[in-house]
Amino acid sequence: MAPESKADHAYRVLTERLADGVYLPGHRLVIDRLVREHDISSIPWREALRRLEAEGWVDIIPNAGAVVRSFDTEEQLGTMRILGRLEPLAIALSAPRMTRDEIAAARELEEQAQAALADFDAARFATLDRAFHALMRAHCPDARLAAMVDAESLRLAMMDRVLPAHAPGRIAATPEEHEGLLRLIESGADAAAIEDAARLHRLRTVAAIEAAAREG
C-alpha cells in the first residue's frame, strides 16, 4: 500500500472531525490555524478543502475561506435514499465473508445501542447504530461501492447532528430488523434476500420521516 500523502492525511483529519461533530455547519476552516495545529503546510490543506468542496461538504467563499455547509431536511432524506440503495448491496456482498465472531459483535453492538436508548442517550445510540451498519458492510469486496457508502454514511452522520430525524416507531423496530438481517446471514441466505432485507430496513425509515413530515 502506498504511503499516505500529506493531502490525503489532511483530508482524513478534516473528514474525521466532520464525522465526530467537531466541525458543524457554519464552522469556518482557517488554513493558517490548521497549519499550526498539525504541522502540515498550507498546500495540502487547500487540496483537501477543494476535495471537500467538490464532495459538497464545504463552501469556499471568496475572502472568507472554507465554511462547513448547512443542510436541509430534503438533503438529509436524499442521502438516506442513496444509502437505502447502495448500502444493501454492500451488505449483501459482505455477508458471506462475515465470521461468527463478527456476527456476535454485531449483536453486542445492538444490545449496547438499546441500553443507550434506555438511558436516554440518543447520541450514543446513533454512534452504536452506525457502528452496527459499518460492521455489516465491512467486508464489501467492491472498493468503489464501499467508498461511496462510507461517504454517504459520513454525510448522514453529520446531518443527524443538526437535523434530528423524526421517524415515529422506527427506533423500536430496529432491533427486530437488525436481528432478522443477522439471521439471514447466519443461515447462508442468498444475496438477493439479504439485500432486500437491508433495503427495507433503510427505506422504512425514509418512509416514516416522509409520513411524519406530511402529517406535521
Side-chain angles (χ1 to χ4, degrees):
M1 181 180 295
E4 185 178 54
S5 70
K6 289 184 178 180
D8 286 340
H9 179 73
Y11 175 83
R12 179 167 57 81
V13 168
L14 294 173
T15 54
E16 285 176 355
R17 291 191 172 190
L18 287 165
D20 292 341
V22 177
Y23 298 150
L24 292 174
H27 184 95
R28 186 171 171 232
L29 297 166
V30 180
I31 289 178
D32 288 347
R33 185 182 303 159
L34 292 168
V35 169
R36 291 194 301 271
E37 288 177 354
H38 299 277
D39 195 26
I40 297 175
S41 69
S42 62
I43 293 175
W45 291 113
R46 292 184 193 283
E47 291 181 15
L49 288 171
R50 281 196 294 268
R51 183 174 170 186
L52 289 173
E53 181 186 35
E55 294 173 352
W57 286 103
V58 304
D59 292 322
I60 297 181
I61 303 169
N63 304 317
V67 178
V68 179
R69 279 195 61 212
S70 297
F71 300 97
D72 59 28
T73 301
E74 190 52 44
E75 287 178 293
Q76 183 185 38
L77 283 169
T79 297
M80 294 174 73
R81 292 186 193 103
I82 292 170
L83 273 176
R85 298 298 178 184
L86 295 180
E87 187 187 56
L89 177 57
I91 290 174
L93 293 173
S94 175
R97 298 166 174 80
M98 281 191 78
T99 66
R100 291 183 181 276
D101 286 347
E102 287 169 330
I103 290 172
R107 286 198 168 102
E108 176 62 25
L109 284 170
E110 181 59 35
E111 289 177 9
Q112 291 177 23
Q114 294 310 306
L117 195 61
D119 290 337
F120 303 100
D121 191 342
R124 178 162 171 75
F125 171 83
T127 297
L128 290 163
D129 187 69
R130 286 193 292 271
F132 176 93
H133 280 261
L135 179 56
M136 297 296 284
R137 63 177 189 268
H139 294 296
C140 176
D142 187 326
R144 185 164 174 259
L145 173 62
M148 287 190 290
V149 174
D150 287 346
E152 294 303 319
S153 297
L154 176 61
R155 191 183 306 276
L156 185 61
M158 179 178 168
M159 291 177 178
D160 285 347
R161 287 188 173 87
V162 294
L163 294 167
H166 181 52
R170 289 303 300 145
I171 289 178
T174 294
E176 182 179 351
E177 292 176 10
H178 281 180
E179 179 58 27
L181 192 53
L182 289 170
R183 286 179 179 170
L184 284 172
I185 293 171
E186 279 183 317
S187 69
D190 63 48
I194 294 169
E195 185 176 353
D196 285 347
R199 179 174 294 114
L200 279 173
H201 173 60
R202 279 290 190 186
L203 295 183
R204 280 170 178 155
T205 301
V206 174
I209 294 172
E210 289 174 331
R214 287 193 299 269
E215 292 172 4

